[in-house]
Amino acid sequence: EVHVYHDSAAAVHALRSHSHPVDLVLSDFNMPGLSGLDVAREAAAVRPELPVVISSGYIDDVLVTEARRMGVRALLHKQSAIDVLAQTLTQILDTGTAPLNLIH
């Protein structure tokens, strides 16, 4: 079951309230309000083991370093094909723990 939030604050509120079971968080990096790293930080505060994947149109060394520091499981370029997204999410859900992967 997938829950979609168009507002990062609403997504964080849902995580905090435990209104839905959550197995993985997929967030855009550049959003109004909270960035994808902010969402990852909030998710880690609620459930440190919760996998977070961030998608971005521009991935630089600073983003990679910060994502790794926060335990983000994967960074995906927005241009990645849907099958790459599906494979990445499946791998993370299947393995439970995975190092930060930069997927082009």
Side-chain angles (χ1 to χ4, degrees), residues 13-92:
H13 175 73
L15 279 173
R16 286 185 184 149
S17 69
H18 306 287
S19 58
H20 305 290
V22 178
D23 297 315
L24 183 139
V25 172
L26 172 62
S27 178
D28 189 7
F29 171 69
N30 191 15
M31 300 177 292
L34 301 174
S35 74
L37 289 176
D38 294 329
V39 171
R41 185 179 301 108
E42 294 292 333
V46 175
R47 286 190 36 211
E49 78 286 355
L50 184 65
V52 176
V53 174
I54 295 176
S55 176
S56 179
Y58 178 74
I59 297 175
D60 63 8
D61 291 339
V62 173
L63 176 55
V64 170
T65 299
E66 285 300 304
R68 183 173 285 124
R69 188 175 67 75
M70 289 185 198
V72 170
R73 304 289 172 87
L75 292 172
L76 294 174
H77 283 278
K78 282 187 184 177
Q79 301 86 348
S80 296
I82 193 72
D83 59 327
V84 172
L85 173 63
Q87 288 172 336
T88 301
L89 298 182
T90 299
Q91 176 187 357
I92 291 169

